[in-house]
């Protein structure tokens, strides 16, 4: 397994990570919930409920770390959003934030895959 990236650009955070987290949350709350409600199999229902809980827990951890990055780098993020800087400034991530943002990418792929099944 590769080490988590220790930097991310503001545009990656705002244009990739956050929108994907929003989509993941929507998929968890709609698609997985619907699959749980409509299945006739107790085994399948239990499996999907467990999946939903695991995804929700991972999503909560990721959101907390995204909030941490956003708080620590609020000045830079605001400046770029206001057009004051256009260099795609790199944000330094602490170890937990780096792991969480790698997990965000993995979670997005997993949720998309699991909602197709």
């Amino acid at each position: 397994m590769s080490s988590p990236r220790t930097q991310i650009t503001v545009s990656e955070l705002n244009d990739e990570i956050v929108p994907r987290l929003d989509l993941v949350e929507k998929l968890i709350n709609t698609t997985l919930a619907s699959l749980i409600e409509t299945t006739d199999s107790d085994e399948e229902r239990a499996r999907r409920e467990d999946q939903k809980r695991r995804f929700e827990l991972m999503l909560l951890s990721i959101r907390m770390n995204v909030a941490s990055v956003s708080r620590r780098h609020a000045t830079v993020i605001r400046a770029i959003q206001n057009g004051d800087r256009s260099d795609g400034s790199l944000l330094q991530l602490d170890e937990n934030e780096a792991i969480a943002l790698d997990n965000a990418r993995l979670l997005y792929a997993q949720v998309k895959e699991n909602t197709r099944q």
Side-chain angles (χ1 to χ4, degrees):
M1 185 174 164
S2 64
S3 338
R5 290 176 41 201
T6 58
Q7 299 177 327
I8 189 170
T9 65
V10 173
S11 63
E12 283 178 289
L13 183 66
N14 289 336
D15 301 337
E16 179 186 325
I17 300 295
V18 172
R20 284 183 175 183
L21 289 177
D22 294 342
L23 178 60
V24 163
E25 188 168 27
K26 184 177 180 178
L27 288 170
I28 289 170
N29 290 328
T30 57
T31 307
L32 278 176
S34 176
L35 290 170
I36 291 166
E37 285 180 23
T38 59
T39 187
D40 293 331
S41 165
D42 290 339
E43 184 179 312
E44 179 67 10
R45 182 177 295 107
R47 184 178 81 80
R48 291 295 186 174
E49 286 172 345
D50 182 59
Q51 258 182 350
K52 187 174 183 283
R53 277 190 295 276
R54 283 185 291 112
F55 288 154
E56 288 171 335
L57 184 58
M58 190 180 233
L59 181 62
L60 176 63
S61 172
I62 292 165
R63 287 229 187 250
M64 290 172 57
N65 279 282
V66 167
S68 173
V69 171
S70 297
R71 269 192 311 278
R72 288 191 317 104
H73 298 287
T75 305
V76 173
I77 292 170
R78 251 191 319 276
I80 289 174
Q81 289 172 335
N82 292 332
D84 296 341
R85 297 172 71 164
S86 62
D87 60 0
S89 293
L90 287 175
L91 306 177
Q92 290 299 124
L93 305 174
D94 69 24
E95 182 180 357
N96 292 325
E97 294 163 349
I99 291 168
L101 293 181
D102 274 2
N103 286 341
R105 292 175 182 94
L106 292 172
L107 180 62
Y108 176 75
Q110 288 175 349
V111 168
K112 279 186 67 173
E113 179 63 30
N114 281 289
T115 54
R116 287 186 199 137
Q117 297 176 359

